[in-house]
Structures are given as structure tokens and as C-alpha cells.
Amino acid sequence: KVLFWDDATPLLPSQKMFNTFLKVSGINVFKVLSNETLKKKYEEKYQKYLEISNQALAWEKKHLEGKTYVVIFYPLDVGKYGGYPADTAVILLCDGEDIAYQLLASGYGFVGPISLSNYEVSKLYNFTETRQYYEHYLKAEEYAKEHKLGVWSIDLSDLK
């Protein structure tokens, strides 16, 4: 069983998930797949991604299998105004630790596109509570990027 929520999108061994990762990383996947030279580099990076996504699944299994965890549904202030893709946060605690935060800080997940959209809306309309919620997870992701952990160890610079 794989957990999936947009605040911390776990790595799954699929091309669709890899392409989503590339998209949130600023890569134009269509441009890459339309160019033979870039397509070869894409394939190499996809193989590395598959290795890391299998490590991520093992990490999830180790941290969640057979354990009791608490799921907290937390309404965000964007919900008061309607029309936003996600107005409820889902926080997963296992042994008192925020699993989404740990997943992101380990580089075994990334902040998904809906969450990134909500974060931008929260800044635009000054939804302080929502902005702080997403910044918490973006800091974990930034840590993994800075330390080149997990999926962030894949150098995407030659795909841009």
C-alpha cells in the first residue's frame, strides 16, 4: 500500500510520476521527448529515478508497515473562499513524526503541483495559515535539494 497526497507526493516507479516530478522541477517534458539527444538523457535519468523510487517504497514500508498512525484532516484558510483545488490538509503522524515532512526531507517525495498552486494562491491573497502550512513542507524539500538526497540527486540541468 502506497500513501499518496499532494503535499508530499511519494515517488512511484512509473513514467507518469517521473514526468510529474520533471514538470514541478521546471522541465518541459514535451520538448525533451521531442528531441532525440534530450530523449536519451531523459531515459538515463528515468532509470536513476526508478532506482530511487524503489528505495522510497522501501523507506515507506520501513516507516509505516505494521505501525499505528494518525491521519489529521486540517482545514486551510483557502477553503473559506472556495474554488481552490485543495482546501484541506492531510497530516500523517506515525510515532509522533510528520511522515510527509520526513518523506520530503529524505528526497523520497516532492511537493505536488496542486500544493504548489495553492501555495502561490496563498501568497497572492495573503492566506497566512495556508502559506505557512506549505512553507513547512517546502523547507523540507529544500533541505533534500540542498543535500542532493533521493530524487534531488538526479542532475536535471541538461534537460532544461
Side-chain angles (χ1 to χ4, degrees):
K1 182 178 176 183
V2 175
L3 297 170
F4 182 83
W5 59 101
D6 198 65
D7 304 336
T9 302
L11 304 181
L12 299 175
S14 77
Q15 197 165 23
K16 181 179 178 181
M17 190 59 68
F18 179 60
N19 290 343
T20 301
F21 166 67
L22 292 177
K23 181 180 177 182
V24 300
S25 300
I27 305 296
N28 180 333
V29 178
F30 178 76
K31 176 185 157 195
V32 168
L33 295 177
S34 300
N35 177 303
E36 286 304 314
T37 303
L38 293 178
K39 194 174 184 178
K40 288 177 185 171
K41 293 177 182 180
Y42 169 95
E43 290 297 331
E44 292 169 11
K45 291 170 192 322
Y46 179 56
Q47 291 307 312
K48 176 89 169 140
Y49 171 86
L50 288 176
E51 292 172 25
I52 295 169
S53 64
N54 285 321
Q55 293 169 9
L57 291 173
W59 182 94
E60 274 198 37
K61 183 177 181 180
K62 176 183 171 188
H63 284 83
L64 297 174
E65 191 173 81
K67 296 185 180 179
T68 302
Y69 47 90
V70 176
V71 179
I72 300 169
F73 294 94
Y74 181 75
L76 297 171
D77 51 4
V78 295
K80 298 174 191 171
Y81 302 93
Y84 298 101
D87 60 4
T88 303
V90 179
I91 302 170
L92 179 69
L93 300 176
C94 184
D95 295 333
E97 291 193 29
D98 182 339
I99 294 299
Y101 187 89
Q102 297 299 321
L103 190 76
L104 291 167
S106 300
Y108 291 142
F110 56 91
V111 177
I114 293 172
S115 293
L116 291 173
S117 173
N118 277 349
Y119 177 63
E120 292 305 317
V121 167
S122 74
K123 291 190 308 184
L124 183 64
Y125 292 104
N126 200 25
F127 297 149
T128 306
E129 187 178 333
T130 300
R131 181 182 46 76
Q132 290 171 342
Y133 170 80
Y134 288 117
E135 284 175 350
H136 171 72
Y137 291 106
L138 288 167
K139 285 179 186 173
E141 183 180 86
E142 191 58 38
Y143 176 85
K145 285 180 182 179
E146 286 175 10
H147 292 87
K148 298 187 182 335
L149 300 174
V151 73
W152 303 109
S153 67
I154 302 172
D155 180 9
L156 302 175
S157 62
D158 54 352
L159 293 181
K160 292 187 176 184

